[in-house]
């Protein structure tokens, strides 16, 4: 039985997919967000995942809109269950695309509450 791609998109609950959907909601008029790269990340104290996203628009937002979107992305408090966004940065910008880097850390407080 074939799987409906729209249903699969809605069912994806991994942190990268949740973050991609929230970026789409923040990015204004008709954006398309894709995960370009996802890799594990760790320090002595924390573990998580580093993500790279491409945010594309079919119609270029105005320069003021692009500035506002970049600022909103960098300052937004994302809601990813079990994680917190430690770093969110727009690394490259053009008229129709942003490249965004994010560091998601497993939330040690939320993790200890569920134990």
């Amino acid at each position: 039985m074939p799987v409906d791609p729209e249903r699969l998109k809605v069912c994806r609950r991994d942190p990268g997919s949740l973050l991609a959907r929230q970026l789409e909601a923040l990015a204004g008029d008709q954006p398309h967000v894709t995960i370009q790269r996802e890799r594990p990340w760790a320090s002595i104290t924390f573990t998580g995942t580093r993500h790279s996203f491409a945010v594309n628009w079919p119609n270029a937002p105005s320069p003021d809109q692009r500035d506002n979107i970049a600022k909103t992305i960098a300052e937004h408090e994302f809601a990813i269950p079990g994680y917190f966004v430690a770093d969110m940065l727009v690394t490259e910008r053009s008229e129709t695309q942003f490249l965004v880097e994010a560091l998601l850390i497993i939330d040690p407080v939320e993790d200890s509450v569920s134990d």
Side-chain angles (χ1 to χ4, degrees):
M1 173 180 249
V3 176
D4 178 15
E6 285 303 309
R7 183 161 187 251
L8 193 65
K9 181 179 175 184
V10 171
C11 292
R12 298 237 9 218
R13 307 291 281 165
D14 62 281
S17 295
L18 292 172
L19 187 56
R21 286 200 302 269
Q22 290 181 39
L23 281 169
E24 264 183 1
L26 288 174
D29 189 33
Q30 301 178 345
H32 179 69
V33 176
T34 56
I35 299 173
Q36 300 294 302
R37 186 176 60 244
E38 186 174 304
R39 62 182 188 266
W41 177 93
S43 70
I44 291 174
T45 313
F46 299 106
T47 59
T49 311
R50 188 166 287 285
H51 299 268
S52 298
F53 299 94
V55 181
N56 296 285
W57 291 270
N59 302 309
S62 73
D64 285 343
Q65 288 174 317
R66 289 194 301 271
D67 289 343
N68 288 337
I69 292 166
K71 183 178 179 182
T72 299
I73 288 172
E75 294 177 355
H76 186 73
E77 292 290 326
F78 292 90
I80 311 295
Y83 292 81
F84 64 90
V85 178
D87 191 27
M88 177 70 71
L89 182 65
V90 176
T91 58
E92 293 182 37
R93 294 171 51 171
S94 72
E95 287 186 0
T96 59
Q97 182 182 58
F98 282 1
L99 297 181
V100 179
E101 298 287 329
L103 176 59
L104 275 67
I105 303 293
I106 295 173
D107 189 342
V109 173
E110 191 170 316
D111 194 38
S112 66
V113 171
S114 64
D115 288 343

